[in-house]
Amino acid sequence: MISGAIDTVDHDVSVCVNLPEPGRWQVIKSETNLTDRTWVAMQAATDEDSVFVNDADTLVMSRQFSKSFITPDQRRLTFYGGEVRPGEAVVKMYSLETVGRRPTYSYSRYTPVATDSPEAAAKTLDRLVAEGLPQRPVIEIIVPVTVIG
């Protein structure tokens, strides 16, 4: 379980996780929106040594978003079809397969432009899900892992 809060709208967040060993790991990630904007999509992109698991036995879900999309190369995961308002928390669950002990993945959030019509915002969101969110400056964090049990 990884938990945190995001208070910037101008940066992506890069997370490096120190794992006890390579392999398949289930991630449950919770974060709170401390910005003044509503998030309508969240994207995670892996490093070259990791992929998101995309099979029938693996849950990829978020309570706040009804849809998810994993690219064919399994390196980008986007949650959409919902929203996280300022002050609210979002929970996401997925699995990573990694060949190294220090997988790194980055998170981006999308907030529609306030002056866009609902149709324009929906069209932009569809494009961003298919093509990926543009990269912004990155804030890097390192997360230690404790194995329980």
Side-chain angles (χ1 to χ4, degrees), residues 41-108:
M42 299 187 80
Q43 171 184 287
T46 65
D47 62 9
E48 55 277 348
D49 293 332
S50 307
V51 294
F52 293 103
V53 178
N54 189 19
D55 61 32
D57 297 329
T58 303
L59 284 175
V60 175
M61 61 173 283
S62 171
R63 183 173 180 213
Q64 292 74 17
F65 296 104
S66 62
K67 299 176 184 176
S68 63
F69 172 75
I70 296 178
T71 55
D73 67 359
Q74 295 178 264
R75 296 216 28 240
R76 183 169 44 88
L77 165 62
T78 305
F79 291 99
Y80 63 107
E83 64 181 22
V84 181
R85 294 183 178 141
E88 292 181 343
V90 58
V91 177
K92 300 174 294 260
M93 186 167 63
Y94 51 86
S95 291
L96 283 175
E97 183 83 37
T98 182
V99 297
R101 291 187 55 230
R102 292 181 52 116
T104 300
Y105 51 100
S106 61
Y107 276 98
S108 305

